Amino acid sequence: MYLFGASGHGKVVADIAIENGIEITAFIDHDVNKTECYGFPVIHNIIDKEKPLIITIGDNLARKKIAEKIANKVEKLIHPKSIISHTSKIGKGTVVMGGVTINADGFIGEHCIINTNSSIDHECHIEDFVHISPNVALAGNIYIGEGSHIGIGAAIIQNINIGKWCVIGAGAVILKDVPDYSVVVGNPGRIIKKIK
Ligand SMILES: CC(C)(COP(=O)(O)OP(=O)(O)OC[C@H]1O[C@@H](n2cnc3c(N)ncnc32)[C@H](O)[C@@H]1OP(=O)(O)O)[C@@H](O)C(=O)NCCC(=O)NCCS
């Protein structure tokens, strides 16, 4: 498997691949100064278009742009020490890290990052290219639009809709719906700006 993005996040994903017994051929990275990452070679172009790949870039928009360009088959990676309901669905290109719980009837889209120890309760619907940071707590029946980033340790109460391409600040507590492109911080969460 190729890991696209020789970064700290890439190293965490590499560990998950190794835990799953998947052989890592190389990292791919546009930075030609990088030649090695986490003991693996870094190459600068995709050599084998048949080889499965996962995009290991934390930035949601960058991940989307690369996903639109690549032709390789995209895999999902799930840490063996995560708890995922058999009724939940997880899209291709998504990585689920250690300690995550995804409860009943969850839907996680493509190319998402479900980061360490986050908790996603029943019937949450998470669109493509979302990043749920470490220790986020999502209550039941939450919708998160495409490309949104939920910051580390944020908490969102049940039945909330978060729009697309939002940023929820670290530690925020979200008690009401958040419109598209909003940056929200604090407890209770308040919009501090819009992303253009
Ligand atoms: C919300 C966030 C994106 C804002 O970043 P920014 O656009 O650079 O904003 P600034 O740092 O200029 O802060 C703007 C104001 O919001 C406040 N603020 C920023 N983040 C905040 C947070 N998480 N909680 C409370 N207030 C916050 C700042 O103190 C500042 O207040 P002021 O205007 O009174 O001085 C960022 O602070 C954040 O929380 N990012 C999440 C990072 C994360 O979770 N990473 C995990 C990766 S795995």
Side-chain angles (χ1 to χ4, degrees):
M1 173 184 273
Y2 288 136
L3 304 185
F4 200 124
S7 60
H9 171 61
K11 293 176 184 178
V12 181
V13 179
D15 275 350
I16 301 172
I18 292 164
E19 288 282 340
N20 280 288
I22 295 168
E23 188 188 334
I24 299 166
T25 308
F27 281 93
I28 299 165
D29 202 290
H30 293 315
D31 183 349
V32 291
N33 295 314
K34 291 182 181 172
T35 55
E36 185 270 343
C37 178
Y38 212 38
F40 298 100
V42 177
I43 59 175
H44 308 294
N45 291 297
I46 296 174
I47 295 166
D48 183 354
K49 292 198 167 19
E50 302 299 315
K51 199 172 278 296
L53 177 151
I54 189 155
I55 305 170
T56 51
I57 295 173
D59 182 89
N60 294 345
L61 189 56
R63 220 164 48 256
K64 178 171 180 169
K65 286 180 176 169
I66 289 168
E68 285 168 351
K69 283 185 190 153
I70 52 169
N72 293 59
K73 180 169 183 263
V74 172
E75 297 283 359
K76 62 184 162 191
L77 274 180
I78 297 176
H79 196 291
K81 293 200 172 96
S82 55
I83 299 169
I84 300 174
S85 164
H86 69 280
T87 56
S88 284
K89 296 186 174 52
I90 296 174
K92 67 181 184 185
T94 285
V95 57
V96 177
M97 294 186 175
V100 165
T101 298
I102 301 173
N103 277 340
D105 276 341
F107 175 91
I108 316 284
E110 298 181 2
H111 299 282
C112 294
I113 301 169
I114 310 298
N115 221 318
T116 311
N117 286 335
S118 55
S119 175
I120 298 177
D121 218 313
H122 57 90
E123 300 165 299
C124 285
H125 185 114
I126 294 174
E127 296 284 3
D128 301 343
F129 306 106
V130 164
H131 179 181
I132 305 290
S133 294
N135 284 321
V136 164
L138 302 188
N141 196 35
I142 288 169
Y143 174 87
I144 300 184
E146 185 189 84
S148 285
H149 177 202
I150 313 301
I152 192 162
I156 306 180
I157 67 163
Q158 69 279 2
N159 304 324
I160 291 288
N161 289 311
I162 307 285
K164 60 185 173 185
W165 302 100
C166 292
V167 178
I168 306 299
V173 178
I174 306 301
L175 306 176
K176 57 183 186 187
D177 290 356
V178 174
D180 297 346
Y181 307 110
S182 303
V183 179
V184 178
V185 302
N187 177 9
R190 66 185 193 287
I191 298 174
I192 55 165
K193 57 182 154 185
K194 290 286 200 171
I195 296 168
K196 293 202 174 71

